[in-house]
Amino acid sequence: MNSKQHEFFNELDRISYKREKNLREFKFFLIAMAIIIPVSFIIMQIYFAIYLSL
């Protein structure tokens, strides 16, 4: 394996590591969204129920 190929594989390793890190952050973001969106809908419904009952 020549140095050019070696560099290429190092670059691939770096990219795949970066992607893994991004995927972990993205997964966290998705979980956060899955929690925040329904909660915000519930809060809005409660708010509208109170608003309409006044």
Side-chain angles (χ1 to χ4, degrees):
M1 195 147 79
N2 61 28
S3 65
K4 205 87 176 144
Q5 278 178 314
H6 204 70
E7 258 176 56
F8 176 71
F9 279 111
N10 279 347
E11 194 61 37
L12 272 183
D13 275 351
R14 203 161 38 244
I15 289 167
S16 66
Y17 171 74
K18 227 188 242 171
R19 188 186 288 139
E20 224 168 83
K21 194 163 171 262
N22 286 349
L23 270 178
R24 232 193 333 268
E25 286 170 15
F26 184 64
K27 217 182 280 176
F28 176 74
F29 174 75
L30 277 183
I31 291 167
M33 279 299 155
I35 293 166
I36 290 164
I37 290 172
V39 168
S40 67
F41 271 117
I42 291 164
I43 290 168
M44 274 189 345
Q45 283 181 330
I46 290 166
Y47 175 76
F48 275 120
I50 292 166
Y51 179 73
L52 290 174
S53 69
L54 290 175

